Amino acid sequence: LKDTEASIGINSDEKSKENIELQKTIDTHKSEISSLNAEIAKLKKAALDAEGKSKKDVEELNARIRELEKLLKDTEASAAKRAENDKKTIGSLNGDVDALKSKLERANADAEARAQELQKTIGTQKSEISSL
């Protein structure tokens, strides 16, 4: 029974640690996305400012913007995929914890039933001893 309770505590701790790690990964992706958006905005502004400059410079800036937009799209897709995988992992861990809780509840019920049986046996033995 204590092993089952300890196992639930360990799984809960592991789940919490994994959730923290997953949140850090998500936060990192958000930060990368934010940085990429900021760089895209700067480049778009630079492209507008460069309209008076040579057409070649504008084309280079536009090419860089397309590269960054593709990188942003790829990063967002990667973050979404990771988030989906993380949700599945969390769901699996939640299922494990639920199963262990169920085992603990059954073990507690069994222990309670055994305790009642022992109380009954003790009562019977006390009666027998008293009658002797």
Side-chain angles (χ1 to χ4, degrees), residues 44-91:
K44 284 183 177 181
K45 183 184 180 314
L48 289 174
D49 294 343
E51 281 182 345
K53 295 183 179 180
S54 72
K55 186 176 180 179
K56 182 181 176 188
D57 289 343
V58 172
E59 288 174 3
E60 287 175 5
L61 288 171
N62 284 331
R64 180 68 178 140
I65 289 170
R66 284 190 297 277
E67 288 173 18
L68 288 171
E69 287 173 337
K70 183 185 181 315
L71 181 59
L72 174 61
K73 181 180 176 184
D74 292 347
T75 300
E76 287 173 338
S78 173
K81 185 175 181 180
R82 175 64 188 217
E84 186 61 32
N85 288 339
D86 293 349
K87 285 179 188 176
K88 289 177 184 175
T89 300
I90 290 168

Side-chain angles (χ1 to χ4, degrees), residues 1-8 100-101 103-112 114:
L1 185 60
K2 287 184 180 179
D3 289 342
T4 304
E5 288 173 340
S7 178
I8 288 173
L100 288 170
K101 283 180 181 178
K103 275 186 177 180
L104 177 60
E105 289 170 1
R106 285 192 303 270
N108 281 337
D110 290 346
E112 186 110 3
R114 280 184 293 219

Side-chain angles (χ1 to χ4, degrees), residues 114-131:
R114 280 184 293 219
Q116 288 177 1
E117 287 175 23
L118 286 172
Q119 287 293 342
K120 185 178 177 182
T121 301
I122 289 169
T124 302
Q125 289 177 350
K126 281 182 179 179
S127 293
E128 289 175 359
I129 290 171
S130 294
S131 67

